[in-house]
């Protein structure tokens, strides 16, 4: 189960809309199962179909020193919030960790874990 407070969900959605027509990306910080903060990133490969997460290296180092868990977030411009083939193929170091996708067109947020070639939906609730 992943719990996303309304303020964090709103920050994700607003960032996704600002980045249109391209995908937005960033990190969601978790304390246990609850999202506590969204850290917007920059899509270093701007595209409506893929993303390449970029954060300030010093900010990322500070995040790695915290006790909060990190989850990747990105948006889908027009498709459902389901991992694409590209998402699955490029999961890398984020395999097995929460992976959040927001569909701008559907105004829908979903959470997943991706391991190998399979994606498993994680129940998500907004409070």
């Amino acid at each position: 189960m992943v719990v996303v407070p309304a303020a964090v969900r709103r920050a994700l959605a607003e960032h996704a809309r600002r980045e249109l027509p391209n995908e937005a990306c960033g990190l969601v910080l978790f304390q246990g199962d609850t999202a506590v903060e969204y850290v917007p990133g920059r899509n270093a490969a701007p595209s409506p179909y893929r993303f390449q997460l970029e954060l300030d290296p010093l900010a990322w180092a500070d995040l790695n020193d915290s006790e909060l868990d990190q989850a990747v977030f990105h948006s889908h411009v027009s498709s459902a919030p389901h991992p694409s083939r590209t998402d699955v193929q490029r999961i890398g170091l984020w395999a097995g960790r929460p992976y959040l996708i927001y569909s701008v067109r559907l105004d829908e947020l979903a959470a997943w874990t991706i391991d190998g070639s399979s994606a498993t939906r994680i129940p998500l609730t907004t409070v």
Side-chain angles (χ1 to χ4, degrees), residues 96-118:
R97 299 172 80 179
Y99 191 85
L100 280 71
I101 303 173
Y102 174 75
S103 170
V104 177
R105 181 177 61 85
L106 300 172
D107 186 32
E108 185 180 338
L109 179 65
W112 302 85
T113 56
I114 302 172
D115 269 319
S117 62
S118 67

Side-chain angles (χ1 to χ4, degrees), residues 25-68:
C25 55
L27 292 177
V28 179
L29 305 180
F30 281 86
Q31 190 165 42
D33 293 337
T34 302
V36 294
E37 184 179 352
Y38 174 57
V39 180
R42 184 176 89 77
N43 187 346
S47 166
Y49 309 108
R50 66 186 163 280
F51 73 98
Q52 182 178 332
L53 176 60
E54 182 177 271
L55 286 178
D56 173 71
L58 294 176
W60 206 321
D62 287 345
L63 292 174
N64 286 333
D65 287 342
S66 81
E67 293 184 16
L68 299 174

